[in-house]
């Protein structure tokens, strides 16, 4: 899919940094502990390169989601809190945080959605990818925090179920949003999430990020390390 990576890229001007490391044996320096605002190239250079390993991965048991969210007293779990936060027109909220109506814009494919049941909450960096990239060494509590992260706007995003299923657990080497105009935004948010959580990239992923970053040179990455 790398041959398709520059499709529509000339029109993009939003987000990320290329990774210019020569081989999987050479790792970038670890992400700094402080918040950062970087151009795409510099942000990608902070991502360490490492081989991925999915040994032992089990999505449901190892990444508890959705939990009680930011406000355990509001009756809304993380999924519904994200839907409420991202609504273009707010839905009505009834007992037990049941949502009805409302309007959302799925930025991956540009689709307007008026039924919350037709939206998925996508983990910007999928849970399986996070496991492969370092989360396998985390505690269960940290993996739960990752799976329900509302501390950064890019971590969880409401999108059409169709686009989320198309993405599955693939990284930018193998999947990008079908709407070319959002590729820079997507790349920046991917890198920001990996920096936030101290995750690594494999060589193919790094190479793909570099290609996209070359077309997104005015894009900026904002990230804050997770607690």
């Amino acid at each position: 899919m790398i041959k398709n990576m520059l499709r529509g890229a000339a029109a993009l001007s939003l987000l990320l940094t290329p990774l210019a490391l020569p081989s999987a044996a050479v790792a970038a320096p670890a992400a700094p502990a402080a918040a950062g605002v970087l151009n795409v190239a510099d942000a990608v250079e902070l991502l360490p390169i490492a081989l991925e390993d999915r040994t032992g991965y089990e999505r449901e048991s190892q990444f508890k989601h959705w939990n009680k969210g930011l406000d355990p007293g509001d009756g809304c779990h993380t999924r519904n809190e994200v839907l409420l936060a991202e609504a273009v027109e707010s839905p009505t909220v009834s007992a037990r945080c049941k949502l009805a109506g409302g309007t959302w814009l799925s930025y991956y494919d540009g689709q307007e959605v008026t039924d919350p049941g037709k939206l998925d909450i996508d983990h910007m960096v999928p849970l399986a990818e996070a496991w492969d990239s370092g989360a396998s060494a985390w505690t269960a509590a940290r993996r739960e925090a990752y799976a329900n992260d509302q501390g950064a706007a890019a971590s969880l995003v409401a999108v059409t179920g169709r686009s989320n299923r198309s993405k599955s657990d693939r990284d930018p080497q193998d999947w990008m949003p079908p709407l070319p105009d959002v590729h820079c935004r997507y790349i920046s948010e991917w890198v920001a999430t990996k920096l936030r959580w101290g995750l690594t990239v494999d060589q193919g992923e790094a190479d793909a990020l570099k290609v996209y970053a070359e077309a997104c040179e005015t894009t900026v990455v904002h990230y804050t390390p997770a607690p």
Side-chain angles (χ1 to χ4, degrees), residues 13-148:
S13 61
L14 285 168
L15 313 159
L16 186 226
T17 332
L19 182 39
L21 298 176
S23 73
V26 181
V37 180
L38 303 167
N39 64 41
V40 293
D42 291 339
V44 178
E45 288 177 356
L46 291 177
L47 294 169
I49 293 180
L51 295 176
E52 293 188 351
D53 183 0
R54 196 160 297 185
T55 303
Y57 172 69
E58 293 183 5
R59 175 185 172 92
E60 298 303 325
S61 64
Q62 292 162 340
F63 288 90
K64 180 182 177 182
H65 67 290
W66 304 111
N67 65 17
K68 293 182 179 180
L70 296 177
D71 182 2
D74 67 3
C76 298
H77 51 50
T78 300
R79 170 186 160 83
N80 281 2
E81 287 185 350
V82 173
L83 289 173
L84 288 168
E86 295 196 359
V88 177
E89 294 182 10
S90 297
T92 59
V93 184
S94 57
R96 297 185 180 180
C97 201
K98 183 177 180 180
L99 308 183
T103 303
W104 292 263
L105 180 65
S106 168
Y107 96 75
Y108 290 179
D109 50 13
Q111 297 299 303
E112 184 178 280
V113 180
T114 56
D115 178 356
K118 294 183 178 179
L119 289 161
D120 284 355
I121 304 304
D122 182 41
H123 293 91
M124 172 55 59
V125 175
L127 301 181
E129 171 70 20
W131 178 270
D132 298 349
S133 306
S136 60
W138 296 349
T139 64
R142 188 159 183 81
R143 287 195 292 270
E144 180 179 348
Y146 177 85
N148 296 274

Side-chain angles (χ1 to χ4, degrees), residues 181-192:
D181 287 354
V182 304
H183 284 184
C184 285
R185 173 182 173 181
Y186 183 79
I187 288 296
S188 77
E189 293 184 349
W190 179 277
V191 172

Side-chain angles (χ1 to χ4, degrees), residues 126-181:
L127 301 181
E129 171 70 20
W131 178 270
D132 298 349
S133 306
S136 60
W138 296 349
T139 64
R142 188 159 183 81
R143 287 195 292 270
E144 180 179 348
Y146 177 85
N148 296 274
D149 182 21
Q150 295 186 68
S155 296
L156 300 172
V157 56
V159 296
T160 58
R162 180 177 181 179
S163 64
N164 189 37
R165 287 186 289 273
S166 172
K167 173 181 174 178
S168 186
D169 59 7
R170 294 184 287 177
D171 69 31
Q173 176 183 200
D174 297 313
W175 189 89
M176 288 292 286
L179 196 62
D181 287 354

